Amino acid sequence: MPMREEIRQKYRVVIGLEVHAQLLTSSKIFSAEPSSFGASPNTQVGVITLAHPGTLPKLNKRAFELAIKMGLACKSEISRHNIFDRKNYFYPDLPKGYQITQDRTPVCKGGLVTIKTKDGVVRDVKLNRIHLEEDAGKSIHTDGPDTFIDLNRAGVALIEIVTEPDMSTADEASAFVTEVRKLVRYLDICDGNMEEGSLRCDANVSIMLKDATVFGKKVEIKNMNSIRNVQRAINVELERQIELAEKGEAIVSETRTYDADKDKTFGMREKEELNDYRYFPDPDLSPVIVSDEWLKQIKQTMPALPQELFNKFVSEYKLSEYDANVLTDSKDIALYVDAVCSHTKNYKAAANWMMGPVKSWLNENQKSADQFPIKPQGLAEIIELIDAGKLNFTVASQRLFPAMVQNPQTPVLQLVEQLGLSQQSDQNSILPIIEEVLKAFPEEVKQFKKGKDALIGMFMGEVMKRSQGKADPKTTKDLLVNKLKEV
Ligand code: ADP
Ligand code: MG
């Protein structure tokens, strides 16, 4: 049963997230072993991951650069002097017995991510840090006594984005993950796929009475494989904590796992204070110095970010915030529309074509906008033809558009010509059709004369049909009105 609102209102909710993103590098963070997803177990494993004596890690420079890109996108401070640390723990998924991570010198310090919640509230969520680390392997538990280990993932490059305890609703948390996923995809640093685990989110959740001055004990929830589940998990965990508090029971600091089928969290292990990871700088890796020169080079590779494109769409193209939001949701679509808008001034039409015919085609064919056969310039040409009265929208979207998708190389005007789609706005071609229609519907003409004005629509429809949509509606209407006066 959902908790009564008054009870919920007694508590202040505190949420902090830790998001791991697998970086899109072809090899692991400290070795040349491949890092692609979905390979047969233990086929992407070499001597470094297996921790053979005498082997040494070597930093993947690209992974480092991708982490800096994320930091720049989040307005973090980029650390100039970076050290990698060993986090010691024993677990079968990590043969070395320690994970290489960054403890005291995260590559990015502070920063923020601007989120937009479902209610339309826009706010900045403060980041504590973004650091680089290697992933661990995967333990595969079976129903029987066996546990299998797949080390393909061990050593894969990750960034961990750690927020301040700065959110207070599950809605904000899911908006945060949504925004981070959008950012990493725009930056092309992670595929953002939560089902495959390339983007993972741990949620830290605590409650405190509204007038309390110290945070409550936090519980860390793991294993949420979708944004929806991040939201659900936080909400059920909050209910559980509030129920305990209401009964006067203590909330223990622990790690819990979310079971989406049961929609419940379950305790895994009591943690944190008990752990001693004995962090110390990894003596096998030298410090990484980020020079002005290097940072400048990385800045030059930064793509346009969703927020920047959103602002451009609203202020320069005068699109509504709603349209701008939909169009910047994914990078391929945003860039396509932006390109169309560099070829036409009718920005609203560009947006409508994108959200209408183009998006339907992309969905049906499961393609992204950068794979769309019609070049932005071609779409702009259709828009111009319509605006010039040479084509009407229905004919353009139903006949020209499919033909262009099939023959993207053929010049637009040539296709219009070949298909005979050019709109007739000259009286000589439209008048005979009007006369034909009026002759075919004598009864309706009489009715119209008696004052049934609405019949004009029927006559218009008939003329359009008989001209196969090519008659220019405005000319047709003027001629029709005149003709009806005459008969
Ligand atoms: P730990 O030492 O347990 O790793 P950190 O201080 O590093 O804890 O924080 C880990 C995450 O937990 C961060 O995202 C932080 O925002 C969040 N967090 C810290 N304290 C709380 C709290 N009382 N309630 C909710 N989240 C918290
Ligand atoms: Mg910590």
Side-chain angles (χ1 to χ4, degrees):
M1 209 177 70
M3 183 151 304
R4 289 212 323 277
E5 193 53 27
E6 318 84 274
I7 298 182
R8 255 184 188 265
Q9 285 303 323
K10 282 165 60 182
Y11 297 91
R12 199 182 127 197
V13 169
V14 177
I15 301 167
L17 298 180
E18 295 163 289
V19 178
H20 287 91
Q22 262 180 25
L23 297 175
L24 284 173
T25 54
S26 48
S27 54
K28 295 183 179 179
I29 184 170
F30 298 114
S31 77
E33 297 164 26
S35 60
S36 53
F37 178 83
S40 308
N42 299 310
T43 56
Q44 314 215 354
V45 181
V47 292
I48 300 276
T49 295
L50 292 172
H52 282 199
T55 57
L56 285 174
K58 183 167 185 287
L59 176 67
N60 182 331
K61 189 175 168 201
R62 195 172 136 73
F64 206 92
E65 290 177 344
L66 299 188
I68 291 182
K69 276 185 156 183
M70 187 63 181
L72 291 172
C74 298
K75 304 186 176 76
S76 309
E77 181 197 335
I78 309 299
S79 296
R80 298 311 192 92
H81 190 270
N82 287 268
I83 290 171
F84 284 97
D85 299 285
R86 290 187 181 179
K87 178 179 179 179
N88 297 280
Y89 67 93
F90 282 97
Y91 200 71
D93 61 13
L94 205 59
K96 289 199 299 295
Y98 58 84
Q99 177 194 29
I100 307 178
T101 179
Q102 294 186 297
D103 181 31
R104 263 168 299 172
T105 60
V107 55
C108 315
K109 292 183 210 142
L112 55 90
V113 170
T114 306
I115 62 165
K116 203 174 285 173
T117 62
K118 283 199 204 77
D119 315 332
V121 179
V122 177
R123 64 168 290 251
D124 293 337
V125 172
K126 286 197 200 75
L127 298 187
N128 173 282
R129 60 194 286 158
I130 302 171
H131 65 256
L132 275 156
E133 62 188 25
E134 58 180 338
D135 209 345
K138 231 168 150 170
S139 305
I140 302 157
H141 304 284
T142 62
D143 289 339
D146 298 329
T147 292
F148 298 107
I149 302 288
D150 177 5
L151 291 176
N152 282 350
R153 214 179 61 184
V156 165
L158 298 179
I159 47 172
E160 178 174 345
I161 304 151
V162 184
T163 76
E164 293 292 345
D166 191 26
M167 285 162 275
S168 55
T169 62
D171 229 21
E172 284 186 339
S174 73
F176 180 85
V177 183
T178 305
E179 198 56 39
V180 165
R181 185 174 63 177
K182 203 196 277 186
L183 273 177
V184 295
R185 285 179 172 167
Y186 262 79
L187 293 167
D188 221 358
I189 65 174
C190 165
D191 66 25
N193 189 331
M194 289 187 84
E195 289 77 40
E196 290 179 1
S198 30
L199 192 72
R200 306 194 283 269
C201 172
D202 301 336
N204 299 273
V205 177
S206 69
I207 56 165
M208 61 204 276
L209 284 169
K210 285 247 159 101
D211 55 4
T213 50
V214 283
F215 283 168
K217 284 254 164 55
K218 76 172 153 68
V219 167
E220 182 173 353
I221 323 168
K222 289 190 177 294
N223 291 334
M224 295 156 293
N225 60 359
S226 68
I227 291 177
R228 194 173 111 82
N229 283 348
V230 170
Q231 178 145 10
R232 292 171 72 204
I234 291 174
N235 278 329
V236 291
E237 174 59 19
L238 283 173
E239 299 232 332
R240 189 189 69 88
Q241 291 188 15
I242 293 173
E243 255 164 43
L244 284 176
E246 286 291 302
K247 282 191 281 190
E249 286 175 33
I251 294 159
V252 285
S253 191
E254 60 177 345
T255 302
R256 298 178 72 85
T257 179
Y258 178 65
D259 182 329
D261 292 334
K262 302 199 173 75
D263 193 26
K264 267 191 158 153
T265 62
F266 293 93
M268 291 168 81
R269 55 179 185 263
E270 288 195 18
K271 69 165 270 182
E272 301 305 317
E273 288 104 322
L274 304 175
N275 278 328
D276 178 6
Y277 293 122
R278 294 169 294 122
Y279 284 102
F280 66 89
D282 190 317
D284 290 341
L285 286 157
S286 45
V288 180
I289 310 296
V290 180
S291 66
D292 290 346
E293 186 58 29
W294 191 19
L295 195 55
K296 204 172 114 198
Q297 278 170 17
I298 299 170
K299 278 183 182 158
Q300 280 164 355
T301 67
M302 290 290 281
L305 295 175
Q307 190 64 40
E308 292 161 15
L309 283 168
F310 176 89
N311 292 342
K312 181 178 185 185
F313 287 6
V314 172
S315 61
E316 199 174 310
Y317 299 156
K318 307 283 180 247
L319 298 178
S320 67
E321 291 201 357
Y322 176 84
D323 287 358
N325 218 2
V326 172
L327 293 170
T328 53
D329 195 40
S330 76
K331 181 187 183 180
D332 55 313
I333 287 181
L335 293 184
Y336 189 94
V337 175
D338 196 36
V340 177
C341 289
S342 69
H343 294 289
T344 175
K345 291 269 169 299
N346 192 345
Y347 308 128
K348 179 65 189 156
N352 288 344
W353 273 91
M354 189 72 227
M355 293 188 290
V358 181
K359 250 197 166 166
S360 326
W361 188 91
L362 296 176
N363 287 342
E364 271 164 36
N365 295 278
Q366 307 218 334
K367 292 268 187 341
S368 59
D370 45 8
Q371 301 167 308
F372 185 54
I374 305 176
K375 295 277 154 293
Q377 188 169 1
L379 202 64
E381 277 179 56
I382 307 186
I383 294 170
E384 302 282 292
L385 285 173
I386 297 174
D387 288 349
K390 297 195 179 124
L391 205 62
N392 73 48
F393 176 79
T394 315
V395 169
S397 61
Q398 290 175 8
R399 308 211 29 218
L400 179 59
F401 180 80
M404 281 178 72
V405 170
Q406 294 298 321
N407 311 281
Q409 303 303 339
T410 316
V412 180
L413 279 175
Q414 192 180 318
L415 277 177
V416 171
E417 214 48 19
Q418 274 173 15
L419 297 166
L421 299 179
S422 179
Q423 180 161 270
Q424 297 161 352
S425 54
D426 61 316
Q427 306 198 359
N428 295 342
S429 52
I430 302 176
L431 258 182
I433 305 176
I434 291 181
E435 282 163 0
E436 190 186 303
V437 168
L438 297 189
K439 218 178 271 169
F441 295 92
E443 193 49 39
E444 283 77 3
V445 173
K446 254 187 234 158
Q447 298 282 330
F448 180 84
K449 291 272 188 194
K450 282 190 199 146
K452 215 173 163 197
D453 292 345
L455 279 167
I456 191 85
M458 192 282 286
F459 294 128
M460 277 292 288
E462 251 337 282
V463 177
M464 294 314 272
K465 202 156 88 193
R466 289 171 192 230
S467 76
Q468 291 170 325
K470 287 187 288 180
D472 171 41
K474 192 175 172 314
T475 318
T476 305
K477 183 144 186 208
D478 293 345
L479 290 173
L480 192 58
V481 169
N482 284 334
K483 203 76 205 161
L484 279 163
K485 278 183 199 145
E486 288 170 22
V487 292

